């Protein structure tokens, strides 16, 4: 970078320093420099609603239309957390573009078209909220973590409503179960009701952008209010029978936390489909990926192949059956999603089916030969 451009981006950063609490830094200023030359304003999207969005700028919050930004592609629409170039005036006012995203949290939609849906952008921490008011669903936690790792953000599991588990030994076992399920991921137990663990959580996410994820009834809105220091999000009672509730949050909102950093709260997610998340799945099941490196065949599917180190670990009890089944399920699901959009992958899957079919046919013929 030349000294002139460096000075320009530094001046641009200083001119819009009021955005610093929302994550504005010199790197964003440098990325925005070409748009500043066109007279556009930098800002961060704090809410999106039906083709329009609220953008916080150094001059305040502006309402802008997003029609200019590829509305037909669900992965390229403006979303909460984006840094955008917005027109300084106009009626209506338009977002011209968004800056290249550092991270993006994407899931597959429930539609039959298998499209991806972006939930939040430029996130540093993905907080997966899990309620202790209901039985732990470890497979669902693994699914959330796969998407979080794939996004490029650092996952963090927060076990909410810890006050409902008064026995410290029992609580310790629950935390340990999740830690085993989430290698390399911090696991915190908190009680927003009693204020326990909130200081640790606030310190972890301070200075960056955190997105709050989880099912309805996971206590996300209560947790958000505790982190924000005020009742910003509405809270609804949950059903005692299953610990679930209605969606309290209906849009994604970006809010500044008093201890530093910003928080994006999201609606409760009933469906959490993978979207091209093979590396994320591999990160969640790091121990299986590690074992797989010692398999006899480099393309081992860990099903029935000879010399499979994963199956050997299963036999010795080193690897739990539940973990392997969850790994297989998520890998198959991800492969199906990718195959629907990638012709090369579809061809590889067909080739693999033929290979396995040939192996099965050869084994059957050999068996018939022995019978004779």
């Amino acid at each position: 970078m030349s000294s002139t451009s460096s000075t320009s981006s530094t001046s641009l950063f200083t001119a819009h320093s009021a955005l610093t609490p929302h994550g504005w830094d010199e790197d964003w200023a440098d990325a925005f420099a070409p748009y500043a030359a066109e007279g556009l304003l930098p800002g961060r999207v704090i809410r999106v609603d039906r083709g329009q969005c609220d953008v916080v700028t150094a001059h305040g919050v502006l309402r802008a239309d997003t029609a200019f930004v590829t509305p037909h592609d669900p992965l390229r629409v403006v979303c909460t957390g984006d840094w955008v170039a917005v027109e300084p005036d106009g009626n209506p006012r338009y977002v011209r573009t968004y800056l290249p995203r550092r991270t993006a949290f994407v899931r597959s939609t429930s539609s039959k078209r298998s499209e991806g849906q972006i939930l939040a952008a430029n996130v540093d921490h993905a907080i997966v909220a899990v309620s202790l008011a209901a039985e732990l669903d470890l497979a669902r936690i693994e699914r959330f973590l796969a998407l979080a790792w794939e996004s490029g953000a650092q996952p963090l599991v927060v076990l909410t409503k810890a006050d409902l588990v008064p026995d410290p030994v029992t609580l310790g076992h629950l935390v340990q179960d999740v830690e085993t399920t989430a290698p390399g991921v911090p696991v915190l137990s908190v009680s927003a009701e009693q204020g326990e663990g909130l200081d640790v959580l606030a310190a972890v996410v301070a200075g960056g952008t955190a997105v709050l994820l989880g099912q309805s009834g996971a206590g996300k809105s209560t947790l958000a209010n505790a982190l924000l220091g005020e009742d910003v999000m509405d809270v609804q009672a949950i059903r005692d029978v299953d610990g679930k509730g209605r969606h309290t949050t209906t849009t994604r909102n970006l809010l500044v936390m008093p201890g530093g950093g910003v928080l994006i709260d999201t609606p409760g997610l009933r469906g959490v489909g993978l979207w091209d998340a093979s590396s994320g799945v591999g990160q969640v099941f790091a121990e299986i990926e590690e074992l797989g490196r010692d398999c006899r065949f480099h393309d081992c599917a860990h099903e029935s192949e000879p010399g499979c180190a994963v199956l050997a670990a299963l036999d010795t009890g080193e690897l739990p059956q539940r973990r392997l089944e969850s790994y297989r399920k998520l890998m198959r699901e991800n492969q199906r999603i990718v195959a629907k959009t990638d012709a090369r992958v579809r061809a590889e899957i067909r080739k693999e089916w033929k290979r396995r079919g040939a192996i099965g046919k050869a084994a059957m013929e050999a068996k018939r030969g022995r019978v004779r």
Side-chain angles (χ1 to χ4, degrees):
M1 182 187 297
S2 68
S3 59
T4 302
S5 61
S6 177
T7 302
S8 175
S9 62
T10 300
S11 299
L12 184 59
F13 167 72
T14 303
H16 299 277
S17 59
L19 286 171
T20 302
H22 287 86
W24 179 249
D25 57 32
E26 292 199 11
D27 289 335
W28 286 121
D30 185 50
F32 188 80
Y35 304 106
E38 299 177 20
L40 299 174
L41 290 175
R44 194 167 195 191
V45 177
I46 60 175
R47 176 187 171 99
V48 178
D49 182 25
R50 298 179 182 178
Q52 292 190 316
C53 63
D54 292 335
V55 181
V56 61
T57 72
H59 306 294
V61 177
L62 307 177
R63 186 72 168 168
D65 196 295
T66 64
F68 270 115
V69 189
T70 322
H72 60 276
D73 185 340
L75 293 182
R76 296 178 63 189
V77 298
V78 170
C79 76
T80 303
D82 270 327
W83 284 95
V84 297
V86 65
E87 295 174 344
D89 49 36
N91 187 21
R93 189 192 312 264
Y94 287 97
V95 169
R96 288 298 184 88
T97 189
Y98 59 81
L99 301 185
R101 293 161 175 159
R102 294 177 181 175
T103 62
F105 195 98
V106 180
R107 69 166 177 172
S108 67
T109 65
S110 58
S111 70
K112 295 182 179 180
R113 292 178 294 180
S114 300
E115 294 177 334
Q117 178 191 21
I118 183 164
L119 299 178
N122 303 312
V123 172
D124 300 297
H125 301 280
I127 303 173
V128 179
V130 180
S131 173
L132 290 175
E135 184 177 352
L136 288 177
D137 187 341
L138 298 178
R140 179 169 288 273
I141 294 173
E142 289 163 344
R143 180 179 291 272
F144 270 110
L145 291 175
L147 293 180
W149 279 122
E150 191 69 31
S151 75
Q154 167 65 51
L156 169 67
V157 177
V158 174
L159 303 178
T160 65
K161 308 179 185 180
D163 53 288
L164 298 181
V165 187
D167 179 18
V169 175
T170 302
L171 181 60
H173 286 318
L174 292 171
V175 171
Q176 188 175 34
D177 286 345
V178 177
E179 288 176 337
T180 303
T181 300
V185 177
V187 179
L188 301 175
S189 60
V190 305
S191 169
E193 188 75 23
Q194 299 182 357
E196 296 177 357
L198 294 175
D199 54 343
V200 177
L201 176 58
V204 171
V205 300
T209 296
V211 64
L212 194 50
L213 307 159
Q215 287 182 286
S216 297
K220 296 195 297 12
S221 295
T222 302
L223 183 59
N225 286 337
L227 289 172
L228 294 166
E230 55 183 317
D231 291 340
V232 176
M233 314 306 297
D234 291 334
V235 178
Q236 292 180 349
I238 64 170
R239 299 190 298 255
D240 291 333
V241 65
D242 57 7
K244 297 181 181 179
R246 298 190 303 274
H247 294 313
T248 301
T249 305
T250 57
T251 58
R252 298 169 190 90
N253 304 278
L254 186 149
L255 301 157
V256 177
M257 292 183 285
V262 294
L263 180 69
I264 300 175
D265 192 19
T266 64
L269 301 175
R270 289 193 179 93
V272 192
L274 300 184
W275 179 258
D276 196 3
S278 58
S279 64
V281 174
Q283 192 87 18
V284 175
F285 298 93
E287 80 278 27
I288 297 179
E289 296 276 302
E290 184 68 27
L291 286 167
R293 296 188 181 96
D294 294 328
C295 291
R296 181 183 301 176
F297 304 110
H298 76 278
D299 59 346
C300 184
H302 317 313
E303 295 286 351
S304 58
E305 296 86 346
C308 176
V310 173
L311 294 180
L314 188 68
D315 291 338
T316 63
E318 177 186 353
L319 177 66
Q321 180 73 37
R322 190 205 67 78
R323 284 283 283 175
L324 181 57
E325 290 176 354
S326 184
Y327 172 76
R328 287 169 172 167
K329 179 179 180 180
L330 291 182
M331 289 297 285
R332 285 194 300 267
E333 177 183 330
N334 189 72
Q335 191 177 50
R336 285 196 299 270
I337 290 294
V338 174
K340 288 180 179 180
T341 57
D342 192 321
R344 179 183 58 81
V345 173
R346 288 198 297 271
E348 289 178 355
I349 292 175
R350 285 195 294 269
K351 183 178 179 180
E352 176 63 14
W353 285 344
K354 289 181 180 180
R355 185 183 73 83
R356 293 191 183 188
I359 292 174
K361 183 178 180 181
M364 184 62 70
E365 290 178 351
K367 182 178 180 180
R368 288 174 178 170
R370 288 196 297 271
V371 171
R372 292 173 187 168

